[in-house]
Amino acid sequence: MKLNIKLTAWIIIGLLLALGLFVLKQHSYEMIEQKIEFETPQGKLTGTLILPQNYSGNVGLVVFVHGDGPINDTYDDGYKPLWEKFASAGYASLSLNKPGIGGSSGNWLEQSMEDRAQETIAAINWAKALPMIDTQSIGLWGASQAGWVIPKIVREVPDLAFSILVSPAVNWISQGKYNTRLEMENEGFSEYEIQAKEHYNAQVLQLLNERASYEEYLRIAQSENLISKERWGFIAKNYQSDATKELSYFNAPVHLVLGGQDINVDIEETERIYREKIPVSLLSVSYFPNADHSMLSKKNAASPLRTYLTAVFFPRQLVDDQYLNDLSRFIKTHSQ
C-alpha cells in the first residue's frame, strides 16, 4: 500500500513538472527583451525594447500605441506573440508603460489624446538615438483608442515608414453609442431598456457639453454605472475626439485591421471613413470575420475561462489565427 502511494505521488510530481516545463516553453519567445527608461519633460517613462535574436546591422522598429485603460508595456504578456512575429521579420518593438503604470511617472487618466501623442513622439526620438535602429524604418502599431493618437503623431513625425491600426476608433461619441447598443443587445436587454440607457447617456453627454463638475454629474449618476472622479476628468478631456479630418495627415502606408465580431467599433463606418480620407495607394485593409475588438478569436472571446487557459497554455493561439500572419506579411513588405 505504501509503495503504491509513493508511486502515485511520484507520478503526480512528474506530471506537474512536465506541465510546468510545457507552460515555460510556451512562454519562451524567440526575441531579446530589454527593460528601458528615459526622461521626458513630463517625467520618467519606462517600458520594454524588443530586439530580434542574432540581429546584425540596423533593424526597423515598431512603436506600440495602447488602447484605453491602465495598460502596461507587455499588455500582461498579450503583446509578446506579436513582438515575436515582428522580430522574426527583422523588426524591433518598443512599448511603454502608461503614466502611473510600471514605474512611469504621472497618471494616464490625466492625459489628453494630444498628451499621448507627445509621449509617443518622445519615445520615437529616444529610439532614433539607438545605434541599432534604422531611423528610416520606424512605424507605429496601435489599437482602439490609438485611432485618435496615431494621426496626431504622424502630423508631427511625417517621416514614419508605416502605421498599423487595429480596430481604431474614429469618433468618441458615435463609438460610445454604437458600443452601448451592441453590448446591450448581445446581453439580451429589451429595446425599452436600451433606449432608457441611451437617454441616460444623452443626459451625461449634455453635462459634458456644459463643462459640468463631477458633483453636478453625481446628481444624476446611476449607482450601477458610476464613473469615478478621475475617469470623469479623462472623459471630459477627450470625449470630443474625432480622427476624421486628421486621417489626411497620413503620407505612408496605413494597414487597417478589423474584426467581424467587434462590438466596440462600427467597423463598416470605420472602413468607409478610412477609405474616404486616405489615398488608395497608401491604404490596405484586412478583415477577420471571427475576430473581436482585441483580435481574440470568436471561440476565445465567448469564454473567459477558455481565454485564460489559452493565455496560460497556448498564448500564440489567443488571437485570431490569421491576425499574426497578416501583420507579419505586412511588416515584411517594409523590411530592408
Side-chain angles (χ1 to χ4, degrees):
M1 179 65 72
K2 289 183 179 180
L3 183 61
N4 288 338
I5 292 174
K6 286 182 179 180
L7 181 59
T8 301
W10 280 112
I11 291 172
I12 292 172
I13 291 170
L15 289 173
L16 290 174
L17 286 172
L19 182 62
L21 290 171
F22 175 80
V23 171
L24 185 62
K25 181 176 175 58
Q26 292 298 311
H27 288 266
S28 296
Y29 295 92
E30 295 183 8
M31 59 192 185
I32 302 167
E33 298 178 54
Q34 299 177 357
K35 291 299 180 182
I36 59 99
E37 63 178 59
F38 57 91
E39 294 292 333
T40 75
Q42 289 70 43
K44 180 174 70 175
L45 288 173
T46 65
T48 300
L49 174 68
I50 302 89
L51 294 165
Q53 285 186 340
N54 305 316
Y55 69 91
S56 61
N58 292 341
V59 296
L61 175 69
V62 184
V63 180
F64 277 57
V65 184
H66 307 304
D68 193 14
I71 299 175
N72 61 17
D73 52 354
T74 72
Y75 198 32
D76 294 333
D77 289 351
Y79 286 152
K80 290 190 175 183
L82 183 51
W83 292 347
E84 185 180 53
K85 278 290 187 182
F86 287 160
S88 71
Y91 269 78
S93 296
L94 175 61
S95 183
L96 302 178
N97 292 297
K98 280 194 176 183
I101 308 296
S104 287
S105 302
N107 183 345
W108 67 273
L109 280 167
E110 295 176 358
Q111 289 187 304
S112 66
M113 296 301 123
E114 184 64 41
D115 294 332
R116 295 200 57 203
Q118 294 304 317
E119 171 187 279
T120 308
I121 291 168
I124 293 169
N125 290 334
W126 175 84
K128 283 181 174 180
L130 297 175
M132 78 289 288
I133 298 301
D134 178 358
T135 59
Q136 301 304 307
S137 298
I138 297 177
L140 302 172
W141 173 97
S144 192
Q145 195 179 88
W148 297 311
V149 181
I150 286 179
K152 297 178 187 297
I153 300 168
V154 172
R155 177 194 65 206
E156 296 196 27
V157 191
D159 62 344
L160 290 169
F162 58 84
S163 296
I164 299 169
L165 293 107
V166 180
S167 311
V170 175
N171 179 282
W172 181 296
I173 295 172
S174 63
Q175 178 198 351
K177 290 178 179 178
Y178 179 85
N179 176 235
T180 295
R181 172 164 284 276
L182 265 288
E183 205 167 74
M184 293 185 74
E185 285 178 353
N186 282 2
E187 292 175 7
F189 286 91
S190 68
E191 180 62 24
Y192 174 82
E193 290 171 311
I194 294 172
Q195 289 186 13
K197 178 64 175 177
E198 289 176 335
H199 176 71
Y200 169 71
N201 286 346
Q203 291 179 295
V204 173
L205 179 60
Q206 182 61 34
L207 289 177
L208 289 165
N209 288 332
E210 294 170 357
R211 301 184 183 278
S213 67
Y214 184 67
E215 288 67 32
E216 290 174 293
Y217 157 72
L218 287 178
R219 292 173 193 161
I220 71 157
Q222 297 176 346
S223 58
E224 66 272 20
N225 297 299
L226 189 65
I227 300 170
S228 71
K229 188 171 185 178
E230 282 187 316
R231 184 71 183 180
W232 177 260
F234 179 77
I235 294 171
K237 276 190 179 77
N238 295 296
Y239 80 99
Q240 293 179 314
S241 294
D242 187 335
T244 304
K245 293 181 180 179
E246 294 176 316
L247 294 179
S248 63
Y249 293 133
F250 286 110
N251 61 0
V254 176
H255 190 50
L256 176 64
V257 182
L258 303 170
Q261 306 301 313
D262 194 339
I263 65 170
N264 294 73
V265 170
D266 185 341
I267 61 170
E268 292 182 2
E269 180 76 356
T270 295
E271 182 176 358
R272 180 185 65 78
I273 293 171
Y274 269 66
R275 290 193 184 279
E276 286 178 358
K277 298 297 181 179
I278 299 174
V280 66
S281 60
L282 297 180
L283 182 64
S284 57
V285 180
S286 287
Y287 171 74
F288 303 117
N290 292 317
D292 75 349
H293 186 65
S294 300
M295 289 296 119
L296 291 179
S297 63
K298 186 175 182 180
K299 58 187 178 184
N300 285 331
S303 169
L305 177 59
R306 185 187 179 101
T307 298
Y308 173 77
L309 293 174
T310 303
V312 171
F313 294 106
F314 304 100
R316 293 172 182 83
Q317 298 178 24
L318 189 60
V319 295
D320 185 274
D321 57 1
Q322 299 176 70
Y323 168 64
L324 294 180
N325 290 331
D326 175 73
L327 293 198
S328 179
R329 283 192 297 271
F330 175 79
I331 205 79
K332 284 176 180 177
T333 66
H334 300 279
S335 298
Q336 298 299 314

